[in-house]
Amino acid sequence: MMRAAAATMGMIATAAMLLIASTAAARPLVASITPPPCVAPVQASIFVDAGSYSPAHRTGLVPGSQQPWTWNTGGVTESVTSTTIPLFTSGAKSSGSYQFTFFAAGGFQYHSSTNANQKGSVSVSLCNVPATSHIGSTVPVQYASAHHTGWVSDVQIKRPGSTTWAWLGYGLTGQFTSFTPAKIGTYYVRARLRHTTNNAASGFSPAKAVKVS
């Protein structure tokens, strides 16, 4: 009887193991989404002329893009100085060059410290945002290439049927966030960079559209 009981217990244990293995095999694997780094295109120089920037508005950057400026002022002293947030400044000079690596998405206004009427802007887009997705899928959004102490990113989303933006993430200190669409339609996402000391913020980046089916 003891042998029969042991055999029965063994059969039960084997069946249980087979059931667990079968269940594990049937369960779909959930892979963590880690998008590749942003591909930062090489940017042509913006010329600092006497009284203007050429071009005055630069687009096409992503987090990690390096933007150079070259002085062409004919000896006139000008600068490249961020306007709404204390992010970058070349200092006033009459020749040479300057460059800055934009590490987060946003719209960045700048001016010359010696000429209040001389203004320019640089637009940095989100990257690794897919153009299409499906209900229930995880949609990645990369808003930065690196985190810098004293700075955070704020990400907004506009869902299908809505006319207003909502916060997807506020005060983010990483590089990525994501959302899971629950309905069919087009979603829009955008981001800005904000200083933690005084809450001064850049403008928002161009909106990225994700069509969900």
Side-chain angles (χ1 to χ4, degrees):
M1 292 181 62
M2 292 181 62
R3 290 181 179 178
T8 300
M9 292 298 293
M11 292 173 65
I12 293 173
T14 300
M17 291 176 65
L18 289 172
L19 178 61
I20 292 171
S22 175
T23 303
R27 186 183 300 123
L29 295 176
V30 178
S32 61
I33 295 179
T34 304
C38 297
V39 178
V42 176
Q43 297 298 317
S45 191
I46 296 173
F47 289 100
V48 182
D49 299 322
S52 65
Y53 301 106
S54 181
H57 307 289
R58 173 56 55 83
T59 62
L61 284 75
V62 296
S65 291
Q66 186 179 79
Q67 177 60 59
W69 285 264
T70 299
W71 269 246
N72 186 36
T73 62
V76 177
T77 300
E78 304 283 14
S79 83
V80 171
T81 304
S82 56
T83 301
T84 56
I85 54 178
L87 185 61
F88 57 89
T89 182
S90 64
K93 55 185 182 178
S94 58
S95 63
S97 62
Y98 172 72
Q99 58 189 19
F100 181 78
T101 299
F102 288 89
F103 57 88
F108 302 93
Q109 306 289 326
Y110 65 94
H111 65 281
S112 174
S113 60
T114 64
N115 182 353
N117 294 319
Q118 185 168 339
K119 300 176 182 179
S121 67
V122 171
S123 182
V124 183
S125 297
L126 297 163
C127 70
N128 287 319
V129 180
T132 60
S133 188
H134 302 283
I135 289 178
S137 297
T138 300
V139 179
V141 177
Q142 183 169 357
Y143 54 84
S145 61
H147 171 62
H148 289 229
T149 301
W151 296 95
V152 293
S153 288
D154 303 324
V155 182
Q156 288 189 331
I157 186 169
K158 185 190 289 185
R159 296 179 172 85
S162 177
T163 58
T164 60
W165 292 90
W167 293 114
L168 179 62
Y170 190 83
L172 302 176
T173 58
Q175 300 177 37
F176 304 96
T177 189
S178 64
F179 67 95
T180 303
K183 61 187 296 188
I184 292 174
T186 302
Y187 293 72
Y188 296 91
V189 286
R190 65 182 186 179
R192 69 181 183 184
L193 183 66
R194 180 165 51 88
H195 198 275
T196 56
T197 300
N198 57 11
N199 276 329
S202 72
F204 279 97
S205 64
K208 287 279 190 178
V210 183
K211 188 175 182 180
V212 173
S213 59

Short mmCIF file of all heavy atoms in Angstrom, two decimals, residues 114-177:
data_model
loop_
_atom_site.label_atom_id
_atom_site.label_comp_id
_atom_site.label_asym_id
_atom_site.label_seq_id
_atom_site.Cartn_x
_atom_site.Cartn_y
_atom_site.Cartn_z
N THR A 114 23.57 91.70 -26.60
CA THR A 114 23.92 93.08 -26.95
C THR A 114 22.89 93.73 -27.87
O THR A 114 23.02 94.90 -28.22
CB THR A 114 25.30 93.12 -27.66
OG1 THR A 114 25.21 92.40 -28.89
CG2 THR A 114 26.37 92.51 -26.78
N ASN A 115 21.87 92.96 -28.28
CA ASN A 115 20.87 93.48 -29.20
C ASN A 115 19.54 92.78 -28.92
O ASN A 115 19.32 91.65 -29.35
CB ASN A 115 21.30 93.24 -30.65
CG ASN A 115 20.33 93.81 -31.67
OD1 ASN A 115 19.25 94.29 -31.31
ND2 ASN A 115 20.70 93.76 -32.93
N ALA A 116 18.65 93.45 -28.19
CA ALA A 116 17.40 92.84 -27.76
C ALA A 116 16.49 92.46 -28.93
O ALA A 116 15.61 91.60 -28.79
CB ALA A 116 16.64 93.80 -26.84
N ASN A 117 16.69 93.05 -30.09
CA ASN A 117 15.86 92.75 -31.25
C ASN A 117 16.37 91.57 -32.07
O ASN A 117 15.71 91.14 -33.02
CB ASN A 117 15.76 93.98 -32.15
CG ASN A 117 15.00 95.12 -31.48
OD1 ASN A 117 13.99 94.89 -30.82
ND2 ASN A 117 15.51 96.35 -31.63
N GLN A 118 17.54 91.05 -31.73
CA GLN A 118 18.12 89.93 -32.47
C GLN A 118 17.69 88.63 -31.81
O GLN A 118 18.12 88.30 -30.71
CB GLN A 118 19.64 90.04 -32.50
CG GLN A 118 20.30 88.97 -33.36
CD GLN A 118 21.77 89.25 -33.60
OE1 GLN A 118 22.22 90.38 -33.47
NE2 GLN A 118 22.52 88.23 -33.96
N LYS A 119 16.82 87.87 -32.49
CA LYS A 119 16.22 86.69 -31.88
C LYS A 119 16.29 85.49 -32.82
O LYS A 119 16.31 85.64 -34.04
CB LYS A 119 14.75 86.96 -31.52
CG LYS A 119 14.57 88.10 -30.54
CD LYS A 119 13.09 88.39 -30.30
CE LYS A 119 12.91 89.57 -29.35
NZ LYS A 119 11.47 89.87 -29.13
N GLY A 120 16.33 84.30 -32.23
CA GLY A 120 16.33 83.06 -32.99
C GLY A 120 15.68 81.96 -32.18
O GLY A 120 15.32 82.15 -31.01
N SER A 121 15.52 80.80 -32.79
CA SER A 121 14.94 79.67 -32.07
C SER A 121 15.46 78.35 -32.63
O SER A 121 15.83 78.26 -33.81
CB SER A 121 13.41 79.69 -32.15
OG SER A 121 12.98 79.46 -33.48
N VAL A 122 15.47 77.35 -31.77
CA VAL A 122 15.86 75.99 -32.15
C VAL A 122 14.75 75.05 -31.65
O VAL A 122 14.34 75.12 -30.49
CB VAL A 122 17.20 75.58 -31.52
CG1 VAL A 122 17.48 74.10 -31.75
CG2 VAL A 122 18.33 76.42 -32.10
N SER A 123 14.28 74.19 -32.55
CA SER A 123 13.21 73.26 -32.21
C SER A 123 13.77 71.85 -32.14
O SER A 123 14.37 71.36 -33.09
CB SER A 123 12.10 73.34 -33.27
OG SER A 123 11.03 72.49 -32.94
N VAL A 124 13.58 71.18 -30.98
CA VAL A 124 14.08 69.82 -30.75
C VAL A 124 12.90 68.88 -30.59
O VAL A 124 12.10 69.04 -29.66
CB VAL A 124 14.99 69.77 -29.51
CG1 VAL A 124 15.56 68.36 -29.32
CG2 VAL A 124 16.12 70.79 -29.62
N SER A 125 12.78 67.90 -31.47
CA SER A 125 11.63 67.00 -31.48
C SER A 125 11.85 65.77 -30.60
O SER A 125 12.99 65.39 -30.30
CB SER A 125 11.35 66.52 -32.91
OG SER A 125 11.00 67.60 -33.75
N LEU A 126 10.75 65.17 -30.17
CA LEU A 126 10.80 63.84 -29.56
C LEU A 126 11.33 62.85 -30.58
O LEU A 126 11.21 63.07 -31.79
CB LEU A 126 9.40 63.40 -29.13
CG LEU A 126 8.70 64.25 -28.06
CD1 LEU A 126 7.21 63.95 -28.07
CD2 LEU A 126 9.29 63.98 -26.69
N CYS A 127 11.90 61.75 -30.11
CA CYS A 127 12.32 60.72 -31.06
C CYS A 127 11.86 59.35 -30.57
O CYS A 127 11.38 59.21 -29.44
CB CYS A 127 13.83 60.73 -31.28
SG CYS A 127 14.81 60.19 -29.88
N ASN A 128 11.99 58.35 -31.46
CA ASN A 128 11.54 56.98 -31.17
C ASN A 128 10.05 56.91 -30.87
O ASN A 128 9.60 56.06 -30.09
CB ASN A 128 12.34 56.38 -30.02
CG ASN A 128 13.76 56.02 -30.44
OD1 ASN A 128 13.97 55.51 -31.53
ND2 ASN A 128 14.73 56.31 -29.59
N VAL A 129 9.27 57.81 -31.46
CA VAL A 129 7.82 57.75 -31.35
C VAL A 129 7.29 57.14 -32.65
O VAL A 129 7.45 57.72 -33.71
CB VAL A 129 7.21 59.15 -31.14
CG1 VAL A 129 5.69 59.06 -31.03
CG2 VAL A 129 7.81 59.82 -29.91
N PRO A 130 6.67 55.96 -32.59
CA PRO A 130 6.21 55.32 -33.82
C PRO A 130 5.05 56.08 -34.45
O PRO A 130 4.23 56.67 -33.75
CB PRO A 130 5.76 53.93 -33.35
CG PRO A 130 5.40 54.12 -31.93
CD PRO A 130 6.34 55.15 -31.40
N ALA A 131 4.97 56.05 -35.77
CA ALA A 131 3.90 56.75 -36.47
C ALA A 131 2.57 56.00 -36.36
O ALA A 131 1.50 56.61 -36.43
CB ALA A 131 4.26 56.94 -37.94
N THR A 132 2.65 54.68 -36.16
CA THR A 132 1.44 53.87 -36.03
C THR A 132 1.59 52.91 -34.87
O THR A 132 2.70 52.54 -34.48
CB THR A 132 1.17 53.06 -37.31
OG1 THR A 132 2.28 52.19 -37.58
CG2 THR A 132 0.96 53.99 -38.51
N SER A 133 0.44 52.48 -34.31
CA SER A 133 0.45 51.50 -33.23
C SER A 133 -0.93 50.84 -33.17
O SER A 133 -1.78 51.09 -34.03
CB SER A 133 0.79 52.16 -31.90
OG SER A 133 0.98 51.18 -30.89
N HIS A 134 -1.13 50.02 -32.15
CA HIS A 134 -2.39 49.29 -31.99
C HIS A 134 -2.90 49.43 -30.56
O HIS A 134 -2.12 49.65 -29.63
CB HIS A 134 -2.21 47.81 -32.33
CG HIS A 134 -1.71 47.58 -33.72
ND1 HIS A 134 -2.52 47.67 -34.84
CD2 HIS A 134 -0.47 47.26 -34.19
CE1 HIS A 134 -1.81 47.41 -35.92
NE2 HIS A 134 -0.57 47.17 -35.56
N ILE A 135 -4.19 49.27 -30.38
CA ILE A 135 -4.78 49.31 -29.05
C ILE A 135 -4.11 48.26 -28.16
O ILE A 135 -3.91 47.11 -28.56
CB ILE A 135 -6.29 49.04 -29.12
CG1 ILE A 135 -7.01 50.24 -29.76
CG2 ILE A 135 -6.87 48.78 -27.74
CD1 ILE A 135 -8.51 50.04 -29.92
N GLY A 136 -3.74 48.67 -26.95
CA GLY A 136 -3.12 47.76 -26.00
C GLY A 136 -1.62 47.65 -26.12
O GLY A 136 -0.97 47.04 -25.26
N SER A 137 -1.04 48.22 -27.18
CA SER A 137 0.41 48.18 -27.34
C SER A 137 1.06 49.30 -26.53
O SER A 137 0.46 50.34 -26.27
CB SER A 137 0.80 48.33 -28.81
OG SER A 137 0.29 47.25 -29.58
N THR A 138 2.31 49.09 -26.14
CA THR A 138 3.06 50.13 -25.44
C THR A 138 3.75 51.03 -26.47
O THR A 138 4.51 50.56 -27.31
CB THR A 138 4.12 49.51 -24.52
OG1 THR A 138 3.47 48.69 -23.55
CG2 THR A 138 4.92 50.59 -23.80
N VAL A 139 3.46 52.31 -26.39
CA VAL A 139 4.03 53.28 -27.32
C VAL A 139 5.16 54.03 -26.62
O VAL A 139 4.91 54.78 -25.66
CB VAL A 139 2.97 54.28 -27.82
CG1 VAL A 139 3.58 55.29 -28.78
CG2 VAL A 139 1.82 53.53 -28.51
N PRO A 140 6.42 53.86 -27.04
CA PRO A 140 7.53 54.56 -26.38
C PRO A 140 7.63 56.01 -26.82
O PRO A 140 7.27 56.36 -27.95
CB PRO A 140 8.75 53.76 -26.86
CG PRO A 140 8.35 53.27 -28.21
CD PRO A 140 6.87 52.99 -28.14
N VAL A 141 8.10 56.84 -25.92
CA VAL A 141 8.31 58.26 -26.21
C VAL A 141 9.66 58.64 -25.59
O VAL A 141 9.82 58.59 -24.37
CB VAL A 141 7.20 59.13 -25.60
CG1 VAL A 141 7.48 60.62 -25.86
CG2 VAL A 141 5.83 58.74 -26.16
N GLN A 142 10.62 59.02 -26.41
CA GLN A 142 11.91 59.46 -25.87
C GLN A 142 11.95 60.98 -25.88
O GLN A 142 11.87 61.61 -26.92
CB GLN A 142 13.09 58.90 -26.66
CG GLN A 142 14.42 59.31 -26.05
CD GLN A 142 15.62 58.57 -26.61
OE1 GLN A 142 15.47 57.69 -27.45
NE2 GLN A 142 16.80 58.92 -26.15
N TYR A 143 12.11 61.56 -24.69
CA TYR A 143 12.09 63.01 -24.55
C TYR A 143 13.47 63.59 -24.23
O TYR A 143 13.64 64.81 -24.22
CB TYR A 143 11.10 63.42 -23.46
CG TYR A 143 11.35 62.74 -22.12
CD1 TYR A 143 12.29 63.25 -21.22
CD2 TYR A 143 10.65 61.60 -21.76
CE1 TYR A 143 12.53 62.62 -20.01
CE2 TYR A 143 10.87 60.98 -20.55
CZ TYR A 143 11.81 61.48 -19.68
OH TYR A 143 12.05 60.86 -18.48
N ALA A 144 14.47 62.75 -23.94
CA ALA A 144 15.80 63.26 -23.60
C ALA A 144 16.86 62.23 -23.98
O ALA A 144 16.57 61.03 -24.09
CB ALA A 144 15.90 63.59 -22.11
N SER A 145 18.08 62.71 -24.16
CA SER A 145 19.21 61.82 -24.41
C SER A 145 20.02 61.59 -23.15
O SER A 145 20.80 60.65 -23.06
CB SER A 145 20.12 62.40 -25.50
OG SER A 145 20.64 63.66 -25.10
N ALA A 146 19.83 62.46 -22.16
CA ALA A 146 20.54 62.37 -20.88
C ALA A 146 19.82 63.25 -19.87
O ALA A 146 19.08 64.16 -20.25
CB ALA A 146 21.99 62.81 -21.02
N HIS A 147 20.01 62.96 -18.59
CA HIS A 147 19.43 63.81 -17.55
C HIS A 147 20.51 64.70 -16.97
O HIS A 147 21.62 64.24 -16.68
CB HIS A 147 18.82 62.96 -16.43
CG HIS A 147 18.42 63.77 -15.24
ND1 HIS A 147 17.47 64.76 -15.30
CD2 HIS A 147 18.87 63.76 -13.96
CE1 HIS A 147 17.34 65.31 -14.11
NE2 HIS A 147 18.19 64.73 -13.28
N HIS A 148 20.19 65.98 -16.82
CA HIS A 148 21.11 66.94 -16.21
C HIS A 148 20.51 67.44 -14.90
O HIS A 148 19.33 67.82 -14.86
CB HIS A 148 21.38 68.11 -17.16
CG HIS A 148 22.21 67.74 -18.34
ND1 HIS A 148 23.31 68.47 -18.74
CD2 HIS A 148 22.12 66.71 -19.23
CE1 HIS A 148 23.86 67.91 -19.81
NE2 HIS A 148 23.15 66.85 -20.13
N THR A 149 21.30 67.45 -13.86
CA THR A 149 20.83 67.92 -12.55
C THR A 149 20.27 69.33 -12.65
O THR A 149 20.87 70.20 -13.28
CB THR A 149 21.98 67.89 -11.54
OG1 THR A 149 22.49 66.55 -11.44
CG2 THR A 149 21.51 68.35 -10.17
N GLY A 150 19.11 69.54 -12.04
CA GLY A 150 18.48 70.85 -12.08
C GLY A 150 17.46 71.01 -13.18
O GLY A 150 16.79 72.05 -13.26
N TRP A 151 17.35 69.98 -14.02
CA TRP A 151 16.42 70.04 -15.15
C TRP A 151 15.49 68.84 -15.15
O TRP A 151 15.90 67.73 -14.80
CB TRP A 151 17.18 70.09 -16.48
CG TRP A 151 18.03 71.31 -16.64
CD1 TRP A 151 19.36 71.43 -16.36
CD2 TRP A 151 17.61 72.60 -17.09
NE1 TRP A 151 19.80 72.70 -16.61
CE2 TRP A 151 18.74 73.44 -17.07
CE3 TRP A 151 16.38 73.11 -17.52
CZ2 TRP A 151 18.68 74.78 -17.46
CZ3 TRP A 151 16.32 74.44 -17.91
CH2 TRP A 151 17.46 75.26 -17.88
N VAL A 152 14.24 69.05 -15.56
CA VAL A 152 13.28 67.96 -15.72
C VAL A 152 12.52 68.18 -17.02
O VAL A 152 12.49 69.29 -17.56
CB VAL A 152 12.28 67.89 -14.54
CG1 VAL A 152 12.98 67.49 -13.25
CG2 VAL A 152 11.53 69.21 -14.37
N SER A 153 11.91 67.12 -17.50
CA SER A 153 11.08 67.22 -18.70
C SER A 153 9.61 67.00 -18.33
O SER A 153 9.29 66.22 -17.44
CB SER A 153 11.50 66.17 -19.74
OG SER A 153 12.74 66.51 -20.33
N ASP A 154 8.74 67.72 -19.03
CA ASP A 154 7.30 67.55 -18.89
C ASP A 154 6.75 67.10 -20.24
O ASP A 154 7.02 67.73 -21.26
CB ASP A 154 6.62 68.87 -18.49
CG ASP A 154 7.19 69.45 -17.21
OD1 ASP A 154 7.53 68.67 -16.30
OD2 ASP A 154 7.30 70.69 -17.11
N VAL A 155 5.98 66.00 -20.24
CA VAL A 155 5.45 65.43 -21.48
C VAL A 155 3.93 65.49 -21.45
O VAL A 155 3.30 65.11 -20.46
CB VAL A 155 5.92 63.98 -21.67
CG1 VAL A 155 5.39 63.42 -22.99
CG2 VAL A 155 7.45 63.90 -21.64
N GLN A 156 3.35 65.95 -22.54
CA GLN A 156 1.89 66.04 -22.65
C GLN A 156 1.38 65.12 -23.75
O GLN A 156 2.10 64.79 -24.70
CB GLN A 156 1.46 67.47 -22.95
CG GLN A 156 1.60 68.42 -21.78
CD GLN A 156 0.96 69.78 -22.06
OE1 GLN A 156 0.88 70.23 -23.20
NE2 GLN A 156 0.47 70.43 -21.02
N ILE A 157 0.10 64.73 -23.62
CA ILE A 157 -0.56 63.88 -24.61
C ILE A 157 -1.94 64.47 -24.91
O ILE A 157 -2.62 64.99 -24.03
CB ILE A 157 -0.68 62.43 -24.10
CG1 ILE A 157 -1.24 61.52 -25.19
CG2 ILE A 157 -1.51 62.35 -22.83
CD1 ILE A 157 -1.14 60.04 -24.84
N LYS A 158 -2.33 64.39 -26.19
CA LYS A 158 -3.69 64.74 -26.60
C LYS A 158 -4.30 63.48 -27.20
O LYS A 158 -3.83 62.95 -28.19
CB LYS A 158 -3.70 65.87 -27.62
CG LYS A 158 -5.12 66.35 -27.97
CD LYS A 158 -5.10 67.30 -29.15
CE LYS A 158 -4.51 68.64 -28.76
NZ LYS A 158 -4.62 69.63 -29.90
N ARG A 159 -5.36 63.00 -26.58
CA ARG A 159 -5.98 61.74 -26.98
C ARG A 159 -7.05 61.97 -28.04
O ARG A 159 -7.57 63.09 -28.18
CB ARG A 159 -6.55 61.03 -25.76
CG ARG A 159 -5.47 60.60 -24.76
CD ARG A 159 -6.06 59.91 -23.54
NE ARG A 159 -5.00 59.34 -22.70
CZ ARG A 159 -4.35 60.02 -21.77
NH1 ARG A 159 -4.64 61.30 -21.55
NH2 ARG A 159 -3.40 59.44 -21.06
N PRO A 160 -7.42 60.92 -28.77
CA PRO A 160 -8.43 61.06 -29.82
C PRO A 160 -9.74 61.65 -29.28
O PRO A 160 -10.22 61.23 -28.22
CB PRO A 160 -8.64 59.62 -30.30
CG PRO A 160 -7.36 58.92 -29.97
CD PRO A 160 -6.88 59.54 -28.71
N GLY A 161 -10.28 62.62 -29.99
CA GLY A 161 -11.53 63.24 -29.58
C GLY A 161 -11.37 64.39 -28.60
O GLY A 161 -12.32 65.13 -28.34
N SER A 162 -10.17 64.57 -28.05
CA SER A 162 -9.93 65.64 -27.08
C SER A 162 -9.39 66.89 -27.78
O SER A 162 -8.66 66.79 -28.77
CB SER A 162 -8.95 65.18 -26.00
OG SER A 162 -8.68 66.25 -25.10
N THR A 163 -9.75 68.03 -27.26
CA THR A 163 -9.22 69.30 -27.79
C THR A 163 -8.18 69.90 -26.86
O THR A 163 -7.65 70.97 -27.13
CB THR A 163 -10.36 70.31 -27.99
OG1 THR A 163 -11.03 70.52 -26.74
CG2 THR A 163 -11.37 69.80 -29.01
N THR A 164 -7.90 69.21 -25.75
CA THR A 164 -6.94 69.74 -24.77
C THR A 164 -5.82 68.74 -24.53
O THR A 164 -5.96 67.54 -24.74
CB THR A 164 -7.64 70.04 -23.43
OG1 THR A 164 -8.22 68.84 -22.92
CG2 THR A 164 -8.73 71.09 -23.62
N TRP A 165 -4.71 69.26 -24.05
CA TRP A 165 -3.55 68.43 -23.71
C TRP A 165 -3.63 68.01 -22.25
O TRP A 165 -4.07 68.79 -21.39
CB TRP A 165 -2.26 69.21 -23.94
CG TRP A 165 -1.95 69.49 -25.37
CD1 TRP A 165 -2.34 70.59 -26.10
CD2 TRP A 165 -1.19 68.67 -26.26
NE1 TRP A 165 -1.87 70.50 -27.38
CE2 TRP A 165 -1.16 69.34 -27.52
CE3 TRP A 165 -0.54 67.45 -26.13
CZ2 TRP A 165 -0.49 68.82 -28.62
CZ3 TRP A 165 0.13 66.93 -27.22
CH2 TRP A 165 0.16 67.60 -28.45
N ALA A 166 -3.17 66.80 -21.96
CA ALA A 166 -3.09 66.30 -20.58
C ALA A 166 -1.66 65.90 -20.29
O ALA A 166 -0.88 65.60 -21.20
CB ALA A 166 -4.03 65.09 -20.41
N TRP A 167 -1.30 65.87 -19.00
CA TRP A 167 0.05 65.48 -18.63
C TRP A 167 0.22 63.97 -18.75
O TRP A 167 -0.53 63.22 -18.15
CB TRP A 167 0.39 65.93 -17.21
CG TRP A 167 0.47 67.41 -17.04
CD1 TRP A 167 -0.36 68.20 -16.31
CD2 TRP A 167 1.42 68.29 -17.65
NE1 TRP A 167 0.02 69.51 -16.42
CE2 TRP A 167 1.11 69.61 -17.23
CE3 TRP A 167 2.50 68.10 -18.51
CZ2 TRP A 167 1.83 70.71 -17.64
CZ3 TRP A 167 3.23 69.21 -18.92
CH2 TRP A 167 2.90 70.48 -18.48
N LEU A 168 1.19 63.56 -19.53
CA LEU A 168 1.59 62.15 -19.59
C LEU A 168 2.68 61.89 -18.56
O LEU A 168 2.77 60.81 -17.98
CB LEU A 168 2.08 61.79 -20.99
CG LEU A 168 2.55 60.35 -21.22
CD1 LEU A 168 1.41 59.37 -20.97
CD2 LEU A 168 3.11 60.18 -22.62
N GLY A 169 3.51 62.89 -18.33
CA GLY A 169 4.56 62.80 -17.32
C GLY A 169 5.01 64.20 -16.94
O GLY A 169 5.19 65.06 -17.82
N TYR A 170 5.16 64.48 -15.66
CA TYR A 170 5.54 65.82 -15.19
C TYR A 170 6.73 65.70 -14.25
O TYR A 170 6.71 64.91 -13.31
CB TYR A 170 4.36 66.48 -14.46
CG TYR A 170 4.56 67.94 -14.15
CD1 TYR A 170 4.30 68.92 -15.10
CD2 TYR A 170 5.01 68.34 -12.89
CE1 TYR A 170 4.47 70.26 -14.82
CE2 TYR A 170 5.19 69.68 -12.59
CZ TYR A 170 4.92 70.64 -13.56
OH TYR A 170 5.11 71.97 -13.27
N GLY A 171 7.78 66.45 -14.54
CA GLY A 171 8.98 66.39 -13.70
C GLY A 171 9.79 65.13 -13.92
O GLY A 171 10.37 64.59 -12.99
N LEU A 172 9.86 64.67 -15.17
CA LEU A 172 10.58 63.44 -15.49
C LEU A 172 12.09 63.67 -15.51
O LEU A 172 12.56 64.68 -16.02
CB LEU A 172 10.12 62.91 -16.85
CG LEU A 172 8.62 62.62 -16.98
CD1 LEU A 172 8.27 62.20 -18.40
CD2 LEU A 172 8.20 61.54 -15.99
N THR A 173 12.83 62.69 -15.00
CA THR A 173 14.29 62.82 -14.93
C THR A 173 15.02 61.73 -15.70
O THR A 173 16.23 61.61 -15.60
CB THR A 173 14.77 62.80 -13.47
OG1 THR A 173 14.34 61.58 -12.85
CG2 THR A 173 14.21 63.98 -12.69
N GLY A 174 14.30 60.92 -16.44
CA GLY A 174 14.94 59.87 -17.23
C GLY A 174 15.10 60.28 -18.68
O GLY A 174 15.37 61.44 -18.99
N GLN A 175 14.88 59.32 -19.57
CA GLN A 175 14.97 59.58 -21.00
C GLN A 175 13.71 59.16 -21.75
O GLN A 175 13.40 59.71 -22.79
CB GLN A 175 16.16 58.84 -21.60
CG GLN A 175 17.51 59.23 -20.99
CD GLN A 175 18.65 58.42 -21.57
OE1 GLN A 175 18.67 58.09 -22.75
NE2 GLN A 175 19.60 58.04 -20.73
N PHE A 176 12.99 58.16 -21.20
CA PHE A 176 11.83 57.59 -21.88
C PHE A 176 10.60 57.62 -20.99
O PHE A 176 10.69 57.55 -19.77
CB PHE A 176 12.09 56.11 -22.24
CG PHE A 176 13.30 55.87 -23.07
CD1 PHE A 176 14.50 55.51 -22.48
CD2 PHE A 176 13.26 55.97 -24.45
CE1 PHE A 176 15.63 55.27 -23.23
CE2 PHE A 176 14.38 55.74 -25.21
CZ PHE A 176 15.58 55.39 -24.62
N THR A 177 9.45 57.71 -21.65
CA THR A 177 8.18 57.40 -21.01
C THR A 177 7.38 56.64 -22.05
O THR A 177 7.87 56.36 -23.15
CB THR A 177 7.45 58.67 -20.52
OG1 THR A 177 6.32 58.27 -19.74
CG2 THR A 177 7.00 59.55 -21.67
#
